[in-house]
Amino acid sequence: MATLEPSAENGDISEAGVRRRDFINIAAVSFAGVGAGTILIPLVNQMNPSADVLALASIEVDISAIQAGQAIKTMWRKQPVFIRNLTPEEIAAAEKVDASSLRDPETLEQRTKEGKKNWLITKGVCTHLGCVPLGAGEGEVKGEFGGYFCPCHGSFYDTAARIRKGPAPKNLEVPEYVFKSDTVVQIG
Amino acid sequence: MSFPWAKEYKPQNPVMQWLDSRLPLPRFVFNAVGAGYPVPRNLNYFWNFGVLSGAALGIQIITGIILAMHFAANGAIAFDSVEHIMRDVNSGWLLRYAHANGASMFFIVVYLHIFRGLFYGSYKAPREMVWLLGLVIFLLMMATAFMGYVLPWGQMSFWGAKVITGLFGAIPLVGEPIQTWLLGGFAPDNAALNRFFSLHYLLPFVIAGVIILHIWALHIPGSSNPTGVEVKSEQDTVPFHPYYTAKDGFGLGVFLIVFAILLFFAPNYLGHPDNYIPANPMSTPAHIVPEWYFWPFYAILRAFTVDFLFIPAKLLGVIAMFASILLLFFLPWLDNSPVRSGHYRPLFRQFFWVLCVDVLILGYCGGAPAAEPFVMISQVAAAYYFAHFLIILPIISKIEKPAPLPASITEAVLAKQA
Ligand code: HEM
Ligand code: FES
């Protein structure tokens, strides 16, 4: 067929006016598109956390030495975790506020395990841009709500590590954890 | 592409003739930065900063490639390898200080280059594309500088990486997965350090490519000039070489003197001492600040402290910070005055200086601790920054009565001499 003009006789044109070549064209280009998209998946996916990074997923911590009013910093998934033994006054202060009035409404009850209200376990990662707030170490400033204070952009957390003032949008995150015994917690 | 009176390349040397007819590279150079490129005769020293930006990029690429020969992109030894460069590698201290201070010099000259464009209206038709490509270069430069600062793996490196990738965490729903994806983990670590190193090496060459487009786009209308009046005849121009090669050469000398003073007498003046403490994921420095050239944008980021209409303060700050730069992409269409140069725009000129002071105030607040009165001052200054571009500039361009323009560049030059 030496002509570019499609001719109806040899079946080049369907009744709807679509050339056979149009179909081949669309099919070939779409197939190439699917191929290109498929190649993109590993190129993007390689950026996600690798297996060894994900493998650091759980730790066990002995908390027997933490006195009421004290806290420790430990490391989980390369991030700090605060384990704090609240004093009765700190518990009372956290329970006094009406949770529904907060930016991220949660009660101390919801943020701790049943019967272990004094054990406040949170990530030590400010929910603003990720600094480590002060307040867990001996002698660090706890801020005007007595919990944690993030010096980076001035976020204040209360004794239940709930955001009270400053730019952070959320309470300090409570990681997944279980009490293995009265003195050992497993985080992650 | 060029003016009709542009000199043609006519090589006398047979070797050059041979080359020209096979690969006309010498012709290209002659037409771009040689006697074949006619340039307005009245350019002042503000027109030096483009070439100086190019020189700064060259310095960064050369010193950077050498540093990469001695640097180890691994969290366990990156900090030590940088100290090894400082103490053990022959002339390592010089190359590292040159690279670190070279980045500051790069931003100084690019900021002055942008300042020139803003005052003389270089962003207006027919040079919009030159301006837009310049902004692309600016964004790439900021990304490169940020990733470079992470490499020494000191406290500021680590926390800078955490805070800046944390910006992406502000995006609703997909934010946190994006941050994890960018870092290749839940906090900056080896994966992040390695990919930042890879990209920090790559991006300057991407910048070099965009600069070629930037200058290509510039050479279509040719350079603007301090009067903002277009070139009308041959007597308005002089050939780039030798006139502006000489003027740029002088400027380059001054630039290098300033650079040498910074490098040899105050190499740590613009840096932060905390970056000489190895990265520690368990403790944040009391006062994290980015490098000085990010301060105005950092101040805008921190200016948002309360939620507004269900949008969290964190997201607002991030949006505002990106918007403060993206806004500049619309500048050619926000300022509708047909007059380019600030010299002939009395009202524009006043507000232009207010904007300059405003940006300096933002810069000061961005480097200060996140406490009062700086937060409040940043809020006012950030609001003014946006008002300048979105409200004041469009109004000025409607109501302003510009001063009479000279009939030509030559007339302006001769009037000055008389
Ligand atoms: C690595 C960075 C850059 C390099 C190497 C560079 C290089 C140059 C050079 C060599 C020129 C011509 C000479 C001159 O007018 O000074 C120029 C012109 C120009 N540049 Fe850049 N530039 C850079 C970044 C930028 C940025 C960030 C902007 C703006 C956001 C920008 C906007 C302009 C404009 C508007 C012109 C035209 C000026 C006129 O003729 O009036 N440039 N650039
Ligand atoms: S990171 Fe904590 S306030 Fe910004």
Side-chain angles (χ1 to χ4, degrees):
Chain A
M1 207 182 56
T3 166
L4 281 176
E5 287 298 310
S7 66
E9 291 128 62
N10 53 29
D12 259 355
I13 284 189
S14 76
E15 274 162 33
V18 180
R19 291 186 306 162
R20 201 195 288 192
R21 203 166 273 182
D22 291 337
F23 173 77
I24 295 172
N25 200 343
I26 290 169
V29 170
S30 337
F31 197 72
V34 171
T38 314
I39 292 169
L40 214 57
I41 294 171
L43 295 183
V44 171
N45 192 31
Q46 53 81 23
M47 296 268 285
N48 277 315
S50 54
D52 61 320
V53 170
L54 292 173
L56 306 166
S58 79
I59 53 166
E60 285 191 6
V61 188
D62 179 357
I63 55 171
S64 56
I66 309 170
Q67 303 297 317
Q70 283 187 333
I72 60 160
K73 290 187 209 177
T74 172
M75 178 110 96
W76 174 64
R77 287 182 164 185
K78 298 268 170 180
Q79 289 173 297
V81 169
F82 296 159
I83 303 180
R84 184 160 173 165
N85 191 350
L86 298 175
T87 61
E89 298 80 62
E90 286 173 331
I91 295 175
E95 287 181 332
K96 212 171 61 212
V97 278
D98 172 15
S100 60
S101 70
L102 299 177
R103 186 177 299 172
D104 182 8
E106 271 182 320
T107 61
L108 180 63
E109 208 100 83
Q110 291 166 314
R111 293 173 59 72
T112 50
K113 299 278 182 226
E114 220 184 306
K116 306 258 184 211
K117 219 161 38 179
N118 59 320
W119 289 110
L120 179 68
I121 302 183
T122 60
K123 280 201 197 167
V125 179
C126 178
T127 56
H128 181 225
L129 296 173
C131 291
V132 181
L134 299 174
E138 207 58 54
E140 289 178 356
V141 258
K142 296 186 156 118
E144 62 186 87
F145 296 91
Y148 300 105
F149 167 64
C150 181
C152 290
H153 317 95
S155 285
F156 294 83
Y157 298 88
D158 67 11
T159 51
R162 294 173 297 196
I163 179 67
R164 298 295 289 275
K165 197 175 131 186
K170 292 240 177 290
N171 304 334
L172 288 188
E173 191 186 327
V174 177
E176 242 175 74
Y177 68 90
V178 284
F179 278 90
K180 288 287 205 184
S181 69
D182 272 351
T183 56
V184 175
V185 272
Q186 181 193 314
I187 301 174
Chain B
M1 193 169 143
S2 189
F3 300 112
W5 56 87
K7 277 205 205 72
E8 214 209 315
Y9 180 64
K10 287 204 201 74
Q12 301 299 313
N13 185 317
V15 178
M16 293 312 252
Q17 282 169 354
W18 182 90
L19 183 61
D20 186 48
S21 56
R22 284 159 183 81
L23 178 71
L25 204 57
R27 175 179 298 268
F28 179 77
V29 172
F30 182 90
N31 289 336
V33 290
Y37 178 45
V39 187
R41 60 194 279 183
N42 59 336
L43 299 191
N44 60 28
Y45 277 110
F46 277 115
W47 266 258
N48 275 25
F49 291 101
V51 164
L52 295 183
S53 306
L57 181 69
I59 293 172
Q60 290 310 94
I61 289 181
I62 293 170
T63 53
I65 288 175
I66 298 174
L67 289 176
M69 297 176 185
H70 304 278
F71 171 76
N74 179 302
I77 50 175
F79 185 89
D80 293 341
S81 77
V82 171
E83 287 311 301
H84 156 75
I85 291 171
M86 295 299 285
R87 298 171 191 200
D88 306 335
V89 174
N90 300 307
S91 308
W93 62 273
L94 177 64
L95 290 159
R96 171 161 184 253
Y97 276 156
H99 195 73
N101 288 287
S104 283
M105 292 301 292
F106 197 174
F107 276 95
I108 291 172
V109 291
V110 164
Y111 280 138
L112 287 167
H113 190 61
I114 296 175
F115 169 91
R116 186 279 317 268
L118 287 172
F119 182 78
Y120 290 109
S122 300
Y123 49 84
K124 292 186 187 183
R127 293 182 189 79
E128 301 98 319
M129 190 52 83
V130 184
W131 174 253
L132 300 179
L133 289 166
L135 290 171
V136 171
I137 295 169
F138 182 49
L139 290 175
L140 287 169
M141 270 178 73
M142 294 204 286
T144 310
F146 157 65
M147 290 192 278
Y149 195 55
V150 174
L151 303 182
W153 216 236
Q155 274 289 67
M156 284 293 164
S157 302
F158 182 92
W159 291 100
K162 181 123 194 198
V163 168
I164 300 298
T165 54
L167 298 180
F168 293 88
I171 305 168
L173 301 176
V174 293
E176 240 169 275
I178 287 183
Q179 187 187 0
T180 311
W181 179 77
L182 285 171
L183 288 172
F186 305 99
D189 200 10
N190 260 337
L193 178 57
N194 266 289
R195 67 189 54 173
F196 284 5
F197 181 46
S198 167
L199 294 173
H200 182 70
Y201 207 132
L202 169 70
L203 287 189
F205 297 92
V206 177
I207 293 176
V210 183
I211 288 173
I212 291 175
L213 299 183
H214 182 68
I215 293 172
W216 186 6
L218 170 69
H219 282 192
I220 289 169
S223 292
S224 182
N225 68 86
T227 65
V229 175
E230 287 295 336
V231 167
K232 299 213 165 77
S233 68
E234 184 168 1
Q235 48 169 340
D236 287 345
T237 67
V238 289
F240 190 87
H241 179 73
Y243 291 93
Y244 287 110
T245 42
K247 191 162 181 154
D248 284 338
F250 176 75
L252 185 62
V254 175
F255 169 83
L256 291 175
I257 291 172
V258 175
F259 186 20
I261 292 173
L262 189 62
L263 179 54
F264 292 114
F265 295 99
N268 287 310
Y269 176 68
L270 295 170
H272 200 294
D274 277 24
N275 219 26
Y276 285 105
I277 304 171
N280 176 1
M282 299 295 278
S283 121
T284 312
H287 173 205
I288 10 179
V289 280
E291 292 278 83
W292 68 267
Y293 33 79
F294 294 132
W295 286 355
F297 308 105
Y298 199 56
I300 293 177
L301 171 75
R302 295 194 303 188
F304 291 80
T305 48
V306 285
D307 300 359
F308 178 70
L309 295 177
F310 303 106
I311 310 175
K314 173 176 164 183
L315 183 58
L316 282 174
V318 173
I319 292 174
M321 186 182 70
F322 284 111
S324 68
I325 299 170
L326 296 184
L327 187 63
L328 298 175
F329 280 91
F330 297 94
L331 181 57
W333 297 277
L334 288 169
D335 176 4
N336 278 317
S337 168
V339 178
R340 292 195 187 90
S341 170
H343 281 309
Y344 303 98
R345 301 187 60 189
L347 196 55
F348 165 83
R349 197 161 62 222
Q350 289 169 20
F351 283 98
F352 174 79
W353 289 118
V354 177
L355 177 73
C356 291
V357 173
D358 186 64
V359 172
L360 292 177
I361 291 174
L362 278 173
Y364 185 81
C365 292
E372 294 303 350
F374 302 115
V375 176
M376 206 197 45
I377 298 174
S378 321
Q379 286 166 341
V380 175
Y384 185 83
Y385 178 92
F386 285 101
H388 175 90
F389 289 104
L390 293 173
I391 303 170
I392 299 175
L393 214 48
I395 295 179
I396 292 177
S397 49
K398 283 234 166 52
I399 63 170
E400 181 178 57
K401 189 174 173 298
L405 290 173
S408 72
I409 292 174
T410 303
E411 190 197 275
V413 173
L414 296 181
K416 226 182 192 173
Q417 278 165 0

